[in-house]
Amino acid sequence: LRKPIWIGLDNYRLLMNDPIFWQSLKITSIYAAITLPLSVIIGISLAVMLNQKLAGISIYRTCFYLPSIIPLVASSIIWLWIFRGDEGGLLNHFLSKINIHGPLWFSDPKWALIALIIMSLWSSGNSVLILSEAFFNYNTNAVSYNFFQCSHRNNFSFPILCTSLRYDFWRTAILYNLLFTICISKCF
């Protein structure tokens, strides 16, 4: 082994002149700019829909949370099967039924990012679970159950219900979900 040599900020200088670094920074920024807002919007929408008083709603809650507890290897194999580029891929098979030639999802740089975004949004069950609890937790000044009962009796539609809820009630849960999504996706 040789004695270490002090190079100062040379690594950062090399990094700033590397075109691959700038390309990866661009892709990561696009991924984060699309995935983070969509994960919050999907989480809030599903949490509100899954907290309605409907028959069999517990089955839907289980189905939305199930992807969050499937092991990473198993879900990766499922997604590789769905996004396989030839006719053997599930998505391209369905696209061929309506006379659309599907792309090579992971081989084409234009489509690989879209496939990764879809894969990351698939397991939104954690955020749905946390936001659902934030809606009905009486001890944290969340939206009371009476609000939802009243809106159901008055036949409020889903968009009216979402726009009438105040952001203050969800601030902590949304912030947690944003930070959790950033950490889990290793965006930064």
Short mmCIF file of all heavy atoms in Angstrom, two decimals, residues 60-102:
data_model
loop_
_atom_site.label_atom_id
_atom_site.label_comp_id
_atom_site.label_asym_id
_atom_site.label_seq_id
_atom_site.Cartn_x
_atom_site.Cartn_y
_atom_site.Cartn_z
N TYR A 60 -60.62 -4.27 -0.42
CA TYR A 60 -59.89 -3.29 -1.23
C TYR A 60 -58.70 -2.73 -0.47
O TYR A 60 -57.64 -2.50 -1.05
CB TYR A 60 -60.82 -2.15 -1.68
CG TYR A 60 -61.85 -2.59 -2.68
CD1 TYR A 60 -63.20 -2.61 -2.35
CD2 TYR A 60 -61.48 -3.01 -3.95
CE1 TYR A 60 -64.15 -3.01 -3.27
CE2 TYR A 60 -62.41 -3.41 -4.87
CZ TYR A 60 -63.75 -3.41 -4.53
OH TYR A 60 -64.68 -3.81 -5.44
N ARG A 61 -58.88 -2.47 0.82
CA ARG A 61 -57.76 -1.98 1.64
C ARG A 61 -56.61 -2.98 1.62
O ARG A 61 -55.44 -2.61 1.49
CB ARG A 61 -58.21 -1.73 3.07
CG ARG A 61 -59.07 -0.51 3.22
CD ARG A 61 -59.43 -0.29 4.67
NE ARG A 61 -60.35 0.83 4.77
CZ ARG A 61 -61.35 0.89 5.61
NH1 ARG A 61 -61.55 -0.09 6.47
NH2 ARG A 61 -62.13 1.94 5.64
N THR A 62 -56.95 -4.25 1.76
CA THR A 62 -55.92 -5.30 1.73
C THR A 62 -55.23 -5.35 0.38
O THR A 62 -54.01 -5.46 0.30
CB THR A 62 -56.56 -6.66 2.05
OG1 THR A 62 -57.22 -6.59 3.31
CG2 THR A 62 -55.52 -7.76 2.09
N CYS A 63 -56.00 -5.24 -0.68
CA CYS A 63 -55.42 -5.30 -2.04
C CYS A 63 -54.47 -4.13 -2.29
O CYS A 63 -53.44 -4.29 -2.95
CB CYS A 63 -56.52 -5.30 -3.09
SG CYS A 63 -57.44 -6.85 -3.14
N PHE A 64 -54.79 -2.94 -1.78
CA PHE A 64 -53.91 -1.79 -1.99
C PHE A 64 -52.67 -1.85 -1.11
O PHE A 64 -51.63 -1.30 -1.47
CB PHE A 64 -54.66 -0.48 -1.76
CG PHE A 64 -55.49 -0.07 -2.93
CD1 PHE A 64 -56.87 -0.10 -2.87
CD2 PHE A 64 -54.89 0.32 -4.11
CE1 PHE A 64 -57.63 0.27 -3.95
CE2 PHE A 64 -55.65 0.68 -5.20
CZ PHE A 64 -57.02 0.65 -5.12
N TYR A 65 -52.77 -2.50 0.04
CA TYR A 65 -51.59 -2.58 0.92
C TYR A 65 -50.71 -3.77 0.57
O TYR A 65 -49.51 -3.76 0.85
CB TYR A 65 -52.02 -2.67 2.39
CG TYR A 65 -50.85 -2.58 3.32
CD1 TYR A 65 -50.12 -1.40 3.42
CD2 TYR A 65 -50.43 -3.66 4.06
CE1 TYR A 65 -49.02 -1.30 4.24
CE2 TYR A 65 -49.33 -3.59 4.89
CZ TYR A 65 -48.65 -2.41 4.98
OH TYR A 65 -47.56 -2.32 5.79
N LEU A 66 -51.26 -4.79 -0.05
CA LEU A 66 -50.52 -6.00 -0.37
C LEU A 66 -49.21 -5.77 -1.13
O LEU A 66 -48.19 -6.38 -0.79
CB LEU A 66 -51.43 -6.97 -1.14
CG LEU A 66 -50.96 -8.40 -1.27
CD1 LEU A 66 -50.79 -9.03 0.10
CD2 LEU A 66 -51.96 -9.19 -2.09
N PRO A 67 -49.15 -4.89 -2.14
CA PRO A 67 -47.87 -4.68 -2.82
C PRO A 67 -46.75 -4.17 -1.91
O PRO A 67 -45.58 -4.37 -2.20
CB PRO A 67 -48.20 -3.64 -3.90
CG PRO A 67 -49.64 -3.79 -4.14
CD PRO A 67 -50.24 -4.19 -2.83
N SER A 68 -47.12 -3.53 -0.82
CA SER A 68 -46.10 -3.00 0.10
C SER A 68 -45.41 -4.08 0.90
O SER A 68 -44.30 -3.87 1.38
CB SER A 68 -46.73 -2.00 1.06
OG SER A 68 -47.26 -0.92 0.35
N ILE A 69 -46.06 -5.23 1.05
CA ILE A 69 -45.46 -6.27 1.87
C ILE A 69 -44.92 -7.44 1.04
O ILE A 69 -44.37 -8.37 1.60
CB ILE A 69 -46.46 -6.79 2.93
CG1 ILE A 69 -47.73 -7.33 2.27
CG2 ILE A 69 -46.79 -5.70 3.92
CD1 ILE A 69 -48.69 -7.98 3.24
N ILE A 70 -45.08 -7.36 -0.28
CA ILE A 70 -44.49 -8.40 -1.14
C ILE A 70 -42.98 -8.18 -1.17
O ILE A 70 -42.51 -7.06 -1.34
CB ILE A 70 -45.09 -8.33 -2.56
CG1 ILE A 70 -46.55 -8.72 -2.52
CG2 ILE A 70 -44.31 -9.21 -3.53
CD1 ILE A 70 -47.25 -8.61 -3.85
N PRO A 71 -42.19 -9.23 -1.01
CA PRO A 71 -40.73 -9.07 -1.02
C PRO A 71 -40.24 -8.45 -2.32
O PRO A 71 -40.83 -8.63 -3.39
CB PRO A 71 -40.22 -10.51 -0.87
CG PRO A 71 -41.34 -11.26 -0.26
CD PRO A 71 -42.60 -10.60 -0.73
N LEU A 72 -39.15 -7.71 -2.22
CA LEU A 72 -38.60 -6.98 -3.36
C LEU A 72 -38.25 -7.90 -4.52
O LEU A 72 -38.50 -7.56 -5.69
CB LEU A 72 -37.36 -6.19 -2.91
CG LEU A 72 -36.71 -5.30 -3.96
CD1 LEU A 72 -37.68 -4.24 -4.44
CD2 LEU A 72 -35.46 -4.66 -3.39
N VAL A 73 -37.69 -9.06 -4.25
CA VAL A 73 -37.31 -9.99 -5.32
C VAL A 73 -38.56 -10.46 -6.06
O VAL A 73 -38.58 -10.49 -7.30
CB VAL A 73 -36.52 -11.18 -4.74
CG1 VAL A 73 -36.27 -12.22 -5.80
CG2 VAL A 73 -35.21 -10.71 -4.13
N ALA A 74 -39.59 -10.81 -5.33
CA ALA A 74 -40.81 -11.29 -5.98
C ALA A 74 -41.46 -10.19 -6.81
O ALA A 74 -41.88 -10.43 -7.96
CB ALA A 74 -41.79 -11.79 -4.92
N SER A 75 -41.54 -8.98 -6.29
CA SER A 75 -42.14 -7.90 -7.07
C SER A 75 -41.28 -7.53 -8.27
O SER A 75 -41.80 -7.18 -9.33
CB SER A 75 -42.41 -6.68 -6.20
OG SER A 75 -41.22 -6.13 -5.70
N SER A 76 -39.96 -7.65 -8.16
CA SER A 76 -39.09 -7.38 -9.31
C SER A 76 -39.33 -8.39 -10.42
O SER A 76 -39.37 -8.02 -11.60
CB SER A 76 -37.63 -7.43 -8.88
OG SER A 76 -37.35 -6.44 -7.93
N ILE A 77 -39.50 -9.65 -10.06
CA ILE A 77 -39.78 -10.68 -11.06
C ILE A 77 -41.12 -10.42 -11.73
O ILE A 77 -41.26 -10.56 -12.96
CB ILE A 77 -39.72 -12.08 -10.42
CG1 ILE A 77 -38.27 -12.40 -10.04
CG2 ILE A 77 -40.28 -13.14 -11.36
CD1 ILE A 77 -38.10 -13.64 -9.21
N ILE A 78 -42.11 -10.01 -10.95
CA ILE A 78 -43.43 -9.70 -11.52
C ILE A 78 -43.32 -8.54 -12.51
O ILE A 78 -43.86 -8.59 -13.62
CB ILE A 78 -44.44 -9.38 -10.40
CG1 ILE A 78 -44.75 -10.63 -9.59
CG2 ILE A 78 -45.72 -8.79 -10.98
CD1 ILE A 78 -45.52 -10.37 -8.31
N TRP A 79 -42.60 -7.48 -12.12
CA TRP A 79 -42.46 -6.32 -13.00
C TRP A 79 -41.63 -6.65 -14.24
O TRP A 79 -41.91 -6.13 -15.33
CB TRP A 79 -41.87 -5.13 -12.26
CG TRP A 79 -42.90 -4.46 -11.41
CD1 TRP A 79 -42.97 -4.45 -10.05
CD2 TRP A 79 -44.04 -3.74 -11.86
NE1 TRP A 79 -44.08 -3.78 -9.64
CE2 TRP A 79 -44.76 -3.32 -10.73
CE3 TRP A 79 -44.54 -3.41 -13.11
CZ2 TRP A 79 -45.93 -2.58 -10.81
CZ3 TRP A 79 -45.71 -2.67 -13.20
CH2 TRP A 79 -46.39 -2.27 -12.06
N LEU A 80 -40.63 -7.49 -14.11
CA LEU A 80 -39.88 -7.91 -15.29
C LEU A 80 -40.77 -8.68 -16.26
O LEU A 80 -40.65 -8.54 -17.49
CB LEU A 80 -38.67 -8.76 -14.89
CG LEU A 80 -37.50 -8.00 -14.29
CD1 LEU A 80 -36.45 -8.98 -13.77
CD2 LEU A 80 -36.89 -7.07 -15.31
N TRP A 81 -41.67 -9.47 -15.73
CA TRP A 81 -42.61 -10.20 -16.58
C TRP A 81 -43.60 -9.24 -17.24
O TRP A 81 -43.92 -9.38 -18.42
CB TRP A 81 -43.33 -11.25 -15.74
CG TRP A 81 -44.44 -11.96 -16.46
CD1 TRP A 81 -44.34 -12.64 -17.64
CD2 TRP A 81 -45.79 -12.05 -16.05
NE1 TRP A 81 -45.56 -13.16 -17.99
CE2 TRP A 81 -46.48 -12.81 -17.02
CE3 TRP A 81 -46.49 -11.57 -14.95
CZ2 TRP A 81 -47.83 -13.10 -16.92
CZ3 TRP A 81 -47.84 -11.87 -14.85
CH2 TRP A 81 -48.48 -12.62 -15.84
N ILE A 82 -44.09 -8.26 -16.49
CA ILE A 82 -45.05 -7.30 -17.05
C ILE A 82 -44.40 -6.47 -18.15
O ILE A 82 -44.98 -6.27 -19.23
CB ILE A 82 -45.62 -6.39 -15.94
CG1 ILE A 82 -46.52 -7.20 -15.01
CG2 ILE A 82 -46.38 -5.21 -16.54
CD1 ILE A 82 -46.97 -6.46 -13.77
N PHE A 83 -43.19 -5.97 -17.91
CA PHE A 83 -42.54 -5.05 -18.84
C PHE A 83 -41.58 -5.74 -19.82
O PHE A 83 -40.77 -5.05 -20.44
CB PHE A 83 -41.79 -3.97 -18.08
CG PHE A 83 -42.68 -2.93 -17.47
CD1 PHE A 83 -42.69 -2.72 -16.11
CD2 PHE A 83 -43.50 -2.16 -18.26
CE1 PHE A 83 -43.51 -1.76 -15.55
CE2 PHE A 83 -44.33 -1.20 -17.71
CZ PHE A 83 -44.34 -1.00 -16.35
N ARG A 84 -41.65 -7.04 -19.95
CA ARG A 84 -40.79 -7.72 -20.91
C ARG A 84 -41.06 -7.16 -22.30
O ARG A 84 -42.21 -6.92 -22.68
CB ARG A 84 -41.07 -9.21 -20.87
CG ARG A 84 -39.86 -10.03 -21.21
CD ARG A 84 -40.10 -11.45 -20.84
NE ARG A 84 -40.21 -12.19 -22.10
CZ ARG A 84 -40.57 -13.44 -22.17
NH1 ARG A 84 -40.89 -14.09 -21.09
NH2 ARG A 84 -40.64 -14.04 -23.32
N GLY A 85 -40.01 -6.93 -23.06
CA GLY A 85 -40.14 -6.20 -24.31
C GLY A 85 -40.76 -6.94 -25.46
O GLY A 85 -41.27 -6.33 -26.39
N ASP A 86 -40.77 -8.24 -25.44
CA ASP A 86 -41.33 -8.97 -26.58
C ASP A 86 -42.81 -9.30 -26.31
O ASP A 86 -43.41 -8.78 -25.39
CB ASP A 86 -40.52 -10.24 -26.84
CG ASP A 86 -40.45 -11.15 -25.61
OD1 ASP A 86 -41.06 -10.81 -24.59
OD2 ASP A 86 -39.78 -12.19 -25.67
N GLU A 87 -43.36 -10.16 -27.14
CA GLU A 87 -44.76 -10.53 -26.96
C GLU A 87 -45.01 -11.32 -25.68
O GLU A 87 -46.14 -11.50 -25.26
CB GLU A 87 -45.24 -11.36 -28.17
CG GLU A 87 -45.35 -10.55 -29.44
CD GLU A 87 -46.41 -9.47 -29.36
OE1 GLU A 87 -47.49 -9.71 -28.80
OE2 GLU A 87 -46.14 -8.37 -29.85
N GLY A 88 -43.95 -11.83 -25.04
CA GLY A 88 -44.09 -12.57 -23.80
C GLY A 88 -44.37 -11.68 -22.61
O GLY A 88 -44.79 -12.16 -21.56
N GLY A 89 -44.15 -10.40 -22.76
CA GLY A 89 -44.44 -9.47 -21.68
C GLY A 89 -45.94 -9.23 -21.57
O GLY A 89 -46.65 -9.11 -22.58
N LEU A 90 -46.43 -9.17 -20.35
CA LEU A 90 -47.87 -9.04 -20.13
C LEU A 90 -48.42 -7.75 -20.72
O LEU A 90 -49.45 -7.76 -21.42
CB LEU A 90 -48.16 -9.12 -18.62
CG LEU A 90 -49.62 -9.16 -18.22
CD1 LEU A 90 -50.28 -10.43 -18.74
CD2 LEU A 90 -49.74 -9.09 -16.71
N LEU A 91 -47.76 -6.64 -20.50
CA LEU A 91 -48.25 -5.35 -20.99
C LEU A 91 -48.21 -5.30 -22.52
O LEU A 91 -49.18 -4.88 -23.16
CB LEU A 91 -47.43 -4.21 -20.39
CG LEU A 91 -47.90 -2.80 -20.72
CD1 LEU A 91 -49.35 -2.58 -20.33
CD2 LEU A 91 -47.01 -1.79 -20.02
N ASN A 92 -47.12 -5.74 -23.11
CA ASN A 92 -47.02 -5.74 -24.57
C ASN A 92 -48.00 -6.73 -25.20
O ASN A 92 -48.48 -6.52 -26.31
CB ASN A 92 -45.60 -6.04 -25.02
CG ASN A 92 -44.71 -4.83 -24.89
OD1 ASN A 92 -45.18 -3.73 -24.63
ND2 ASN A 92 -43.43 -5.01 -25.08
N HIS A 93 -48.32 -7.80 -24.49
CA HIS A 93 -49.31 -8.76 -24.98
C HIS A 93 -50.68 -8.09 -25.09
O HIS A 93 -51.38 -8.22 -26.10
CB HIS A 93 -49.37 -9.98 -24.05
CG HIS A 93 -50.44 -10.95 -24.42
ND1 HIS A 93 -50.36 -11.76 -25.54
CD2 HIS A 93 -51.63 -11.22 -23.83
CE1 HIS A 93 -51.45 -12.50 -25.61
NE2 HIS A 93 -52.23 -12.19 -24.58
N PHE A 94 -51.07 -7.35 -24.04
CA PHE A 94 -52.36 -6.66 -24.08
C PHE A 94 -52.35 -5.53 -25.11
O PHE A 94 -53.37 -5.28 -25.76
CB PHE A 94 -52.74 -6.13 -22.70
CG PHE A 94 -53.19 -7.20 -21.76
CD1 PHE A 94 -52.53 -7.41 -20.57
CD2 PHE A 94 -54.27 -8.01 -22.07
CE1 PHE A 94 -52.95 -8.41 -19.70
CE2 PHE A 94 -54.70 -9.01 -21.21
CZ PHE A 94 -54.02 -9.21 -20.01
N LEU A 95 -51.22 -4.86 -25.25
CA LEU A 95 -51.13 -3.81 -26.27
C LEU A 95 -51.25 -4.39 -27.68
O LEU A 95 -51.85 -3.77 -28.56
CB LEU A 95 -49.82 -3.04 -26.12
CG LEU A 95 -49.70 -2.12 -24.91
CD1 LEU A 95 -48.31 -1.52 -24.82
CD2 LEU A 95 -50.75 -1.03 -24.94
N SER A 96 -50.70 -5.58 -27.89
CA SER A 96 -50.80 -6.20 -29.22
C SER A 96 -52.23 -6.61 -29.55
O SER A 96 -52.61 -6.68 -30.72
CB SER A 96 -49.86 -7.40 -29.32
OG SER A 96 -50.33 -8.47 -28.51
N LYS A 97 -53.04 -6.88 -28.54
CA LYS A 97 -54.44 -7.23 -28.77
C LYS A 97 -55.23 -6.06 -29.35
O LYS A 97 -56.25 -6.27 -30.01
CB LYS A 97 -55.11 -7.68 -27.46
CG LYS A 97 -54.54 -8.94 -26.89
CD LYS A 97 -54.90 -10.12 -27.74
CE LYS A 97 -54.39 -11.38 -27.07
NZ LYS A 97 -54.44 -12.53 -27.94
N ILE A 98 -54.77 -4.84 -29.09
CA ILE A 98 -55.44 -3.66 -29.67
C ILE A 98 -54.58 -3.03 -30.77
O ILE A 98 -54.68 -1.84 -31.05
CB ILE A 98 -55.80 -2.63 -28.58
CG1 ILE A 98 -54.58 -2.22 -27.77
CG2 ILE A 98 -56.90 -3.16 -27.68
CD1 ILE A 98 -54.86 -1.09 -26.78
N ASN A 99 -53.73 -3.87 -31.37
CA ASN A 99 -52.90 -3.50 -32.52
C ASN A 99 -51.92 -2.36 -32.22
O ASN A 99 -51.69 -1.50 -33.06
CB ASN A 99 -53.76 -3.15 -33.73
CG ASN A 99 -54.52 -4.34 -34.25
OD1 ASN A 99 -54.02 -5.47 -34.19
ND2 ASN A 99 -55.73 -4.13 -34.74
N ILE A 100 -51.36 -2.36 -31.05
CA ILE A 100 -50.30 -1.41 -30.69
C ILE A 100 -49.05 -2.22 -30.43
O ILE A 100 -49.06 -3.16 -29.64
CB ILE A 100 -50.67 -0.58 -29.43
CG1 ILE A 100 -51.91 0.27 -29.71
CG2 ILE A 100 -49.50 0.28 -29.00
CD1 ILE A 100 -52.43 1.01 -28.49
N HIS A 101 -47.98 -1.84 -31.11
CA HIS A 101 -46.69 -2.52 -30.89
C HIS A 101 -46.02 -1.89 -29.68
O HIS A 101 -45.63 -0.72 -29.71
CB HIS A 101 -45.81 -2.39 -32.13
CG HIS A 101 -44.48 -3.08 -31.98
ND1 HIS A 101 -44.37 -4.45 -31.93
CD2 HIS A 101 -43.24 -2.58 -31.82
CE1 HIS A 101 -43.10 -4.77 -31.77
NE2 HIS A 101 -42.40 -3.65 -31.70
N GLY A 102 -45.92 -2.64 -28.60
CA GLY A 102 -45.33 -2.14 -27.36
C GLY A 102 -43.82 -1.94 -27.47
O GLY A 102 -43.15 -2.62 -28.24
#
